[in-house]
Amino acid sequence: MSSLCKLNRWFRLSVASVLFVAHLLPTYACTRVVYLGEQQHVITARSMDWKSDIGTNLWIFPRGMKRSGEAGPNSIQWQSKYGSIIASGYDIATTDGMNEKGLVANVLWLVESSYPIYDGSTPGLSISAWSQYVLDNYATVQEAVEALAQQPFTLVTDKLPGEDRLATLHLSLSDASGDSAIIEYIDGKQVIHHDRSYQVMTNSPTFEQQLALNTYWAQIGGLNMLPGTNRAADRFARASFYVNAIPKTDNPVDALASALSIIRNVSVPYGVSTPDQPNISSTRWRTLADHKNQLYFFESALAPNVFWVDLKQIDFSEKTGQVKKLTLGPNQANIYAGEVSHAFQRSEPFHFLGLAQE
């Protein structure tokens, strides 16, 4: 058997093994895609898929907010350098958002995540504030990656509200230059994947295995066949093909339409029931972050239209900026239209979920 044939056989067996493992793993269906258009027109789109309402609201956070890692006496402390708009989870965590410098952070489920054992000897950061820490402190992906590589904190997880399981998440970052990074914790160690080409992130398996699966589908060619299920690996393949197949443009309307069509394509129908895979969850909302124009779009599965926030209309200053909240209602069914920065109401900031007190 030739070396090339052996290599091809090894590759097919490796991909088959990954596909088998991916099929067995529970699936939590969220997707993140970065569109790279002309003239530095970058858009990050994500879907939030969950089995029940996570009580999402939109929040405006100004500069100068004093934060705690909420991990006990040795929690990391910081003051926000940059203002941001974020989408909350249960109003105890930041799940998604963009800061005033155009850095976007998204957290998605990754069941394979395994975090360090925390003994309190190092500064701790609750996983609920992981993405907010990045938005508060960094302007670019490069800056964030360099800082996080120094491990300024130990990431600490805890049980989800009302559930007997730990939050297991990975973090994606993208910025106005189109740079991207994926940060995971595997076997208790931080793993950073940093490259402009890392435009797509879904859920299981780990990002390294997702890349192997995508190589397999790239060989087949998206015009010939694409996987069509709601499993994370299949959504990764579809999003990866479409994000590079759509036209690259500097027209903001066309670019937003293209990015939105991709994230809708990899969304899960609302109310879907799959008894053989009960962990596939419906898409509850989608966001799009236009890095260049500083626009943050929100679309609920239960609302008839997309609305947006223009970050240029927000006072993020430390002296006069205010914490504000846009209440989206149960299942994010409240209806808004157009640019809604004026509709936010002054509010006390929510408290990030920290370690349970014994």
Side-chain angles (χ1 to χ4, degrees), residues 13 35-36 65-66 99 102 113 120 201 205 238 244 253 267 284 295 306 324 328 336 350 358:
L13 288 173
Y35 169 88
L36 303 175
M65 294 187 68
K66 294 182 179 180
N99 72 16
S113 299
M201 184 174 87
R238 292 205 307 281
N244 290 299
V253 175
S267 295
R284 296 191 165 270
L295 301 174
V306 178
K324 293 184 176 181
L328 300 182
Y336 297 96
F350 64 77
E358 299 296 336

Side-chain angles (χ1 to χ4, degrees), residues 118-276:
Y118 185 60
D119 61 7
S121 63
T122 57
L125 175 67
S126 170
I127 198 170
S128 65
W130 189 15
S131 56
Q132 191 63 54
Y133 177 88
V134 173
L135 294 174
D136 284 352
N137 286 289
Y138 309 117
T140 67
V141 170
Q142 181 67 40
E143 184 184 351
V145 165
E146 290 176 356
L148 295 177
Q150 303 303 313
Q151 301 193 61
F153 54 78
T154 299
L155 193 65
V156 182
T157 190
D158 202 358
K159 292 180 180 179
L160 291 167
E163 299 194 36
D164 192 27
R165 56 173 175 156
L166 295 175
T168 52
L169 306 170
H170 54 170
L171 173 69
S172 69
L173 304 176
S174 51
D175 65 22
S177 75
D179 199 8
S180 281
I182 311 297
I183 301 156
E184 299 178 337
Y185 280 81
I186 308 299
D187 296 327
K189 296 181 180 180
Q190 180 181 247
V191 179
I192 299 177
H193 304 271
H194 179 204
D195 197 280
R196 181 182 173 90
S197 66
Y198 297 154
Q199 295 169 256
V200 178
M201 184 174 87
T202 55
N203 314 107
S204 298
T206 62
F207 189 70
E208 183 177 0
Q209 292 175 313
Q210 292 278 16
L211 293 177
L213 287 168
N214 194 55
T215 300
Y216 168 78
W217 286 110
Q219 286 190 337
I220 293 175
L223 294 177
N224 297 314
M225 181 175 63
L226 281 171
T229 79
N230 293 322
R231 291 199 302 268
D234 290 1
R235 288 182 281 107
F236 190 102
R238 292 205 307 281
S240 296
F241 171 74
Y242 286 128
V243 77
N244 290 299
I246 57 178
K248 304 301 184 291
T249 178
D250 62 351
N251 182 303
V253 175
D254 290 348
L256 287 165
S258 293
L260 184 57
S261 66
I262 294 172
I263 204 66
R264 284 172 171 167
N265 179 276
V266 293
S267 295
V268 181
Y270 191 81
V272 70
S273 176
T274 53
D276 60 327

